[in-house]
């Protein structure tokens, strides 16, 4: 079974062909990161316009690299939420048009479910990674989804069965990385920039708060953001040393809480494994912190599948397709769609 996955929920225009829900035949991503960097964040109107320009060529390239034509496909899977309305509309309408004209069924996919199904993807070329094997298929599994728009702990009891354990009450983890990077004068996207700066920094040079919110699996990062802003006020122009120290202190404050709550939830629900998903899970310090605390197997999404892509949408779409999901032609976007 071959499914084309289309993803345009934020600032990546992506299309991919996946076989049997696991094997990545192609995965084409046109990132708009460089474009949005000059505005310090995603500029929604610009994002939709760029999606309109890119979606056709990106899809054509995905089919070409997979060596398949429309008649070799079984379905078209597309993200219909959550995400930026204008961006979602482009992918959904393109997918509708493509599926209708090719005589293929359209399968609606929740973007967050896509991040989870990225854990079962591989290519023939995937080199063995003994420290990060593909996720088990035994449930329950615990997923920490950390991206620019989401910070959630989800208990996955089976395919398509999700229980929301907790999540952020204000900023998403990635959003906090992006905002703090901006305060520190680091480029967008802030996550990789902070991780890089933090390597030279001392996390103990500056004492930043952690929002433990005891008795819950919830998170809050807005207080931390304000604390960074206040700590920065004492410098007229912070030196590279100060910036690195602040980046390291901020990073560890976010990661400690994420890792500790993930470990608590993993124990409480006796899960078979922990899945780290979403753009922020690319962070090596986060991966190490979770591995250090969790006694069960920890599976981080392979780096090339961490940020938004079409393969993860095709993977989740394959499962949904097999479960009988078909979108009607009047399917609309759901910018605030949730997993559970
Ligand atoms: O999953 P994603 O590509 O898009 C969303 O659905 O949001 O995640 C993007 C987010 C951005 O906020 C970016 O700063 C963050 O992931 N990110 C990181 C790292 N790489 C990307 N955050 C921390 N450390 C990283 N290495
Ligand atoms: Zn995402």
């Amino acid at each position: 079974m071959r499914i084309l996955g289309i993803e345009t929920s934020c600032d990546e225009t992506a299309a991919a062909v996946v076989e049997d829900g696991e094997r990545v035949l192609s995965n084409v991503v046109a990132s708009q990161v460089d474009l949005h960097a000059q505005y310090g964040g995603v500029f929604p109107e610009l994002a939709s316009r760029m999606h309109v320009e890119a979606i056709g060529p990106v899809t054509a390239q995905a089919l070409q690299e997979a060596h398949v034509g429309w008649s070799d496909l079984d379905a078209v899977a597309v993200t219909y939420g959550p995400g930026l309305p204008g961006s979602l509309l482009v992918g959904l309408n393109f997918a509708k048009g493509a599926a209708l004209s090719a005589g293929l069924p359209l399968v609606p996919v929740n973007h967050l479910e896509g991040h989870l199904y990225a854990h079962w993807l591989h290519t023939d070329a995937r080199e063995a990674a003994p420290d990060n094997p593909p996720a088990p298929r035994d449930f329950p599994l615990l997923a920490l989804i950390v991206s620019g728009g989401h910070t959630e702990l989800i208990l996955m009891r089976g395919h398509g069965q999700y229980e929301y354990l907790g999540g952020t009450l204000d900023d998403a983890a990635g959003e906090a990385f992006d905002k703090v990077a901006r305060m520190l004068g680091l480029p967008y996207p802030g996550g990789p920039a902070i991780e890089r700066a933090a390597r030279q920094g001392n996390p103990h040079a500056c004492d930043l708060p952690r929002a433990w919110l005891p008795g819950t699996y919830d998170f809050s990062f807005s207080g931390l953001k304000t604390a960074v802003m206040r700590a920065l006020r004492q410098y007229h122009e912070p030196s590279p040393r100060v910036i690195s120290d602040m980046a390291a202190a901020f990073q560890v404050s976010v990661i400690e809480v994420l890792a500790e709550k993930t470990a608590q939830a993993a124990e409480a629900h006796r899960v078979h494994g922990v899945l780290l998903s979403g753009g922020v899970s690319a962070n090596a310090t986060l991966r190490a912190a979770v591995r250090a605390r969790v006694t069960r197997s920890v599976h981080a999404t392979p780096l090339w599948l961490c940020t938004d892509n079409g393969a993860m949408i095709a993977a989740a779409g394959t499962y949904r397709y097999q479960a009988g999901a078909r979108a009607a032609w009047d399917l609309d976007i759901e910018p605030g769609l949730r997993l559970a």
Side-chain angles (χ1 to χ4, degrees):
M1 182 184 310
R2 294 196 190 100
I3 297 210
L4 171 70
I6 290 181
E7 155 66 36
T8 65
S9 68
C10 190
D11 60 348
E12 252 94 33
T13 315
V17 180
V18 169
E19 195 167 60
D20 300 328
E22 290 182 359
R23 204 157 76 90
V24 182
L25 301 185
S26 66
N27 190 33
V28 180
V29 181
S31 176
Q32 305 174 7
V33 162
D34 294 343
L35 182 74
H36 296 291
Q38 55 189 303
Y39 304 101
V42 179
F43 189 155
E45 176 55 32
L46 200 54
S48 353
R49 266 190 274 154
M50 295 310 291
H51 285 311
V52 170
E53 283 180 25
I55 189 67
V58 163
T59 304
Q61 193 183 335
L63 293 176
Q64 193 187 20
E65 287 183 10
H67 304 292
V68 299
W70 289 100
S71 59
D72 300 312
L73 297 173
D74 292 280
V76 177
V78 63
T79 305
Y80 72 109
L84 299 170
S87 291
L88 288 166
L89 270 173
V90 177
L92 179 57
N93 284 322
F94 179 84
K96 277 183 189 176
L100 193 60
S101 63
L104 295 169
L106 183 68
V107 180
V109 173
N110 180 319
H111 178 83
L112 298 175
E113 188 167 61
H115 275 300
L116 298 185
Y117 277 77
H119 284 277
W120 288 290
L121 287 171
H122 60 86
T123 63
D124 282 345
R126 177 177 174 156
E127 73 275 27
D131 56 328
N132 192 32
R137 288 186 187 269
D138 306 314
F139 298 101
L141 293 170
L142 175 71
L144 173 68
I145 305 179
V146 271
S147 70
H150 297 271
T151 302
E152 298 182 7
L153 271 170
I154 301 278
L155 186 64
M156 189 174 183
R157 292 198 182 277
H159 285 290
Q161 291 171 35
Y162 307 105
E163 193 179 311
Y164 178 87
L165 300 181
T168 184
L169 304 178
D170 38 62
D171 291 346
E175 193 180 355
F177 269 94
D178 293 338
K179 287 178 178 168
V180 166
R182 204 171 172 168
M183 288 180 210
L184 296 175
L186 298 171
Y188 174 85
I194 287 194
E195 184 173 21
R196 237 175 290 124
R199 272 186 220 131
Q200 270 84 52
N202 170 12
H204 307 293
C206 157
D207 200 19
L208 294 173
R210 283 129 180 83
W212 287 112
L213 309 178
T216 74
Y217 293 121
D218 289 332
F219 304 97
S220 166
F221 300 113
S222 72
L224 175 59
K225 201 178 57 189
T226 313
V228 173
M229 204 179 336
R230 217 174 284 134
L232 273 174
R233 268 198 211 125
Q234 57 182 299
Y235 304 98
H236 176 59
E237 199 160 321
S239 64
R241 166 94 271 143
V242 168
I243 290 171
S244 302
D245 288 348
M246 208 75 92
F250 163 78
Q251 178 172 265
V252 80
S253 289
V254 173
I255 285 172
E256 253 183 47
V257 183
L258 288 174
E260 186 57 35
K261 294 213 172 190
T262 302
Q264 285 169 11
E267 291 307 320
H269 293 278
R270 301 169 179 282
V271 297
H272 282 280
V274 173
L275 311 181
L276 301 181
S277 312
V280 181
S281 74
N283 189 290
T285 312
L286 171 66
R287 291 173 176 217
V290 174
R291 289 208 168 95
R293 284 175 172 82
V294 172
T295 57
R296 288 141 211 278
S297 71
V298 175
H299 306 271
T301 316
L303 280 181
W304 60 286
L305 293 168
C306 266
T307 46
D308 295 346
N309 62 81
M312 69 185 203
I313 301 307
T318 305
Y319 150 70
R320 287 282 163 194
Y321 175 77
Q322 285 168 332
R326 303 289 183 274
W329 297 117
D330 64 353
L331 171 72
D332 203 357
I333 56 164
E334 283 192 42
L337 186 65
R338 304 182 57 135
L339 250 191

